[in-house]
Amino acid sequence: MYRSGYKYQLAHDYTVFTGIRPIKNIETPYIRLDKGGRIMIKAGYAWDGPSGPVIDTKQNMRASLVHDALYQLMRRKHLKAKKHKDKADQLFKRMCIED
C-alpha cells in the first residue's frame, strides 16, 4: 500500500551500519536500530527524499532514506537529538559522497 503524502516508499528491507549506538535496541513498525549501530529500514517505509538545498538524485536517495529514518527516531524520542543529530548529518554526507 502506498503511503499518501510521501514521495518514495521502500520496496525491500535495507540494512546499513550507522555508527549510532543506542543504549538498547530500538524497534518501531518500520525501523530497527540495534545497540551495535546497525539500522534496518523495512519494506513499506515511506519518506520524502532529500530536502533543503539538496535535490532528488540517484546519488543521494540512499542517504536521504537513512537520514529520514534516524530523524524520525529522534522526533519520536527514541534517540536524543542533541547527541545524535550531528552524527546523522555526517552519515548523510558520507553516504552521498560514497554514492
Side-chain angles (χ1 to χ4, degrees), residues 13-20 26 30-34 36-42 45 65-71 73 79 91 95:
D13 291 354
Y14 179 73
T15 303
V16 68
F17 177 72
T18 66
I20 295 174
I26 298 168
Y30 288 98
I31 305 165
R32 182 177 197 283
L33 179 62
D34 68 29
R38 186 163 300 278
I39 193 169
M40 181 175 68
I41 306 166
K42 299 173 187 174
Y45 180 79
L65 166 68
V66 174
H67 190 261
D68 280 12
L70 289 169
Y71 265 60
L73 293 178
L79 290 172
L91 178 61
M95 291 177 82

Side-chain angles (χ1 to χ4, degrees), residues 4 9 15 23 35 37 43 45 51 55 63 71 73 85 96-97:
S4 178
Q9 190 168 15
T15 303
I23 295 169
K35 295 187 300 185
Y45 180 79
S51 58
I55 59 171
Y71 265 60
L73 293 178
K85 181 182 177 303
C96 285
I97 291 168

Side-chain angles (χ1 to χ4, degrees), residues 74-87:
M74 287 184 260
R75 281 191 308 275
R76 295 195 175 168
K77 309 293 186 205
H78 294 289
L79 290 172
K80 293 182 180 180
K82 189 172 186 177
K83 181 176 181 181
H84 298 291
K85 181 182 177 303
D86 288 343
K87 289 178 185 176

